[in-house]
Amino acid sequence: MAIEVDVAILGGGPGGYTAAIRAAQEGKRVAIVEMDKLGGTCLHRGCIPSKAMLRSAEVYAGLLEAEQFGVKVDGSVALDFRRVLARREETVRQLHNGLQHLMKKHGIQMIYGKGRVIGPSIFSPRSGAIAVEMADGETESVVPANLIIATGSRPRQLPGLETDGERILTSDDVLRLEKLPASILIVGGGVIGVEWASMLNDFGVEVTIAESAPRLLPNEDRDIAEELARQLRRRGVRIATGVTFKAETVRRHHDGISVTAATADGDVEWTAEYMLVSVGREPNTAGIGLENTDVCLKDGFIQVNQNFQTSEPHIYAIGDVIGGLQLAHAAAHEGIAAAEHLCGVGLSGTDFRQIPRCIYSRPEIAAIGMTEEQAKAKGYDVAVGRVPFQAIAKAIVAGHAAGFAKVVTDRASGDILGVHLIGPHATELIAEASVAVGLNAAHWEIGRAVHPHPTLSEAVAEAMLAIDGKSLVI
């Protein structure tokens, strides 16, 4: 017998399980079909394990700087990488257990196996049912009134630098390393690349970043990218931009890899123990049965309307499979919106300008809205406020005063177009900017709001005030 539910969700990552919980809260019968583990890439191969390791790197780097705070560490400070990995796995296990508890609490049925969308059948007169191949070879059918596709993404391959899991690694592969390498070449200076570069540098690994664009983080504000590059170089990270790889020159050795690349200064040969290829992610849309539906794809991504409905209105899609901001919290936001729409509650539509972007390197980076370049390209008469963390007492107290807060506004209206932070706890500070953008606040309203002293939040307020020349700290 087929399992009949109100909502079936293909994929149990942040978008999928969030949509499931929201639908269950509205009284819907919900089932999640997941081929691996509840929590998806974010929990098991992405956000959480990498952030756990970044925290270990932060603590290690802090201990090496302890004497400047008057703290003397007797003996040497040593890194126990096996313990780093053990703590990472314990963190993942704890969160995984918590998610499983939430599924039981909300009565959400978990079905583990490889799911494939099927067309009209004896079970359903329209497409959208799921045939599930279980680990034991048995099959199960799930027939929903509504389907949400949330199958996520996988690391993108770069022609000529295809990963092998041995010397040329994806971000999934690098998490499987059981010991730290002596050196690593990171191809790609985007979010994943700079996070791993920062972490491994703090662990004492010799790191080189090779980016094809003219700068790191090409999708972020130029000032932010330049400041990050400056700070990473000060820590010893080698950075090359405008790089083109010559695939035929890739050579694997028993103890490493070497590759020749073309740069503005001529050909360069790099040798490292491993190469990490981090050039973005591509959607998991192949092999899930979309050919059995009228769902439309563009460049591999599922096309949806403002309510996350596909060309078949009872089939929704969310998260990395639809493109846009490939972020866990974006997927969760989309999951909630899709679930509420099919339940007939909540507001329709999503304004992606209100979704913050966070990078957990050292220093942290966070942003929301448009960069200064993007705002100018759209024809805005831009006004910018910028305040360094060196002007903020709490940053000096903390001993991490590098970086700045930058606000981009429309000069005529005072509307906030973008907020960009690089510095201590930037990923926490961006929440205020998210609320400001969501409420359509003017910069002066945020600047005049009382911010406690001494706190890092003063940087955001002072950057808002700086737009009108009213900052009290610069």
Side-chain angles (χ1 to χ4, degrees), residues 67-133:
E67 287 197 17
Q68 68 173 293
F69 296 93
V71 178
K72 187 172 178 60
V73 179
D74 291 332
S76 62
V77 176
L79 180 70
D80 183 348
F81 192 63
R82 289 198 302 176
R83 183 70 189 102
V84 171
L85 299 183
R87 181 181 181 274
R88 181 189 75 188
E89 296 310 307
E90 173 57 24
T91 300
V92 171
R93 186 196 65 78
Q94 182 177 342
L95 291 171
H96 186 220
N97 288 344
L99 279 181
Q100 291 175 311
H101 169 74
L102 284 174
M103 297 303 102
K104 293 178 181 178
K105 173 184 175 182
H106 292 285
I108 297 166
Q109 186 173 358
M110 290 298 306
I111 303 169
Y112 290 99
K114 183 176 177 59
R116 183 179 178 83
V117 184
I118 59 177
S121 67
I122 60 172
F123 299 112
S124 175
R126 60 183 183 178
S127 61
I130 305 174
V132 187
E133 182 181 343

Side-chain angles (χ1 to χ4, degrees), residues 54-376:
L54 279 160
R55 173 57 180 155
S56 293
E58 179 186 33
V59 171
Y60 182 53
L63 285 172
L64 295 177
E65 299 172 349
E67 287 197 17
Q68 68 173 293
F69 296 93
V71 178
K72 187 172 178 60
V73 179
D74 291 332
S76 62
V77 176
L79 180 70
D80 183 348
F81 192 63
R82 289 198 302 176
R83 183 70 189 102
V84 171
L85 299 183
R87 181 181 181 274
R88 181 189 75 188
E89 296 310 307
E90 173 57 24
T91 300
V92 171
R93 186 196 65 78
Q94 182 177 342
L95 291 171
H96 186 220
N97 288 344
L99 279 181
Q100 291 175 311
H101 169 74
L102 284 174
M103 297 303 102
K104 293 178 181 178
K105 173 184 175 182
H106 292 285
I108 297 166
Q109 186 173 358
M110 290 298 306
I111 303 169
Y112 290 99
K114 183 176 177 59
R116 183 179 178 83
V117 184
I118 59 177
S121 67
I122 60 172
F123 299 112
S124 175
R126 60 183 183 178
S127 61
I130 305 174
V132 187
E133 182 181 343
M134 320 291 273
D136 59 5
E138 296 293 320
T139 59
E140 185 67 85
S141 296
V142 181
V143 181
N146 290 279
L147 169 65
I148 300 177
I149 300 172
T151 47
S153 63
R154 62 188 182 277
R156 187 183 302 278
Q157 295 290 326
L158 189 63
L161 294 179
E162 288 84 0
T163 58
D164 58 17
E166 296 179 359
R167 291 295 170 185
I168 304 180
L169 311 176
T170 67
S171 54
D172 290 356
D173 298 326
V174 75
L175 282 169
R176 289 192 282 268
L177 293 179
E178 295 182 353
K179 66 176 184 177
L180 284 171
S183 59
I184 192 166
L185 169 62
I186 299 177
V187 179
V191 175
I192 296 173
V194 300
E195 285 188 350
W196 276 100
S198 176
M199 176 206 305
L200 293 174
N201 170 262
D202 276 340
F203 284 150
V205 177
E206 182 183 287
V207 178
T208 300
I209 304 175
E211 166 59 46
S212 62
R215 58 183 171 87
L216 298 182
L217 302 178
N219 295 323
E220 295 300 336
D221 191 88
R222 181 179 300 276
D223 290 345
I224 294 288
E226 291 176 351
E227 175 66 14
L228 175 66
R230 185 185 70 82
Q231 293 199 39
L232 288 177
R233 284 190 172 110
R234 285 183 58 186
R235 289 163 52 187
V237 176
R238 292 181 294 184
I239 300 172
T241 55
V243 175
T244 301
F245 282 94
K246 298 185 175 182
E248 67 276 9
T249 67
V250 177
R251 295 176 296 281
R252 295 168 175 81
H253 314 293
H254 72 280
D255 59 350
I257 189 167
S258 60
V259 60
T260 301
T263 71
D265 299 322
D267 287 356
V268 175
E269 181 171 322
W270 286 301
T271 299
E273 191 173 342
Y274 293 100
M275 176 190 292
L276 167 60
V277 179
S278 57
V279 290
R281 299 182 66 85
E282 55 188 7
N284 289 325
T285 50
I288 62 171
L290 294 183
E291 67 276 8
N292 300 319
T293 73
D294 291 327
V295 171
C296 296
L297 298 178
K298 183 178 180 181
D299 299 326
F301 294 98
I302 297 175
Q303 299 298 288
V304 295
N305 64 14
Q306 72 274 15
N307 298 313
F308 304 101
Q309 292 170 291
T310 69
S311 46
E312 295 203 46
H314 65 288
I315 301 178
Y316 294 70
I318 59 172
D320 287 7
V321 290
I322 67 171
L325 292 174
Q326 293 182 306
L327 304 169
H329 52 279
H333 181 81
E334 294 161 6
I336 292 170
E340 290 184 343
H341 183 264
L342 67 85
C343 291
V345 299
L347 299 175
S348 64
T350 297
D351 187 348
F352 290 99
R353 294 174 302 175
Q354 297 179 16
I355 297 178
R357 310 180 297 277
C358 295
I359 303 172
Y360 297 84
S361 53
R362 185 170 68 89
E364 288 187 352
I365 294 168
I368 191 169
M370 290 182 278
T371 67
E372 182 179 353
E373 304 99 305
Q374 290 168 343
K376 289 178 177 178

Side-chain angles (χ1 to χ4, degrees), residues 431-447:
E432 179 182 15
S434 181
V435 172
V437 172
L439 295 178
N440 197 30
H443 67 274
W444 58 266
E445 293 177 297
I446 304 303

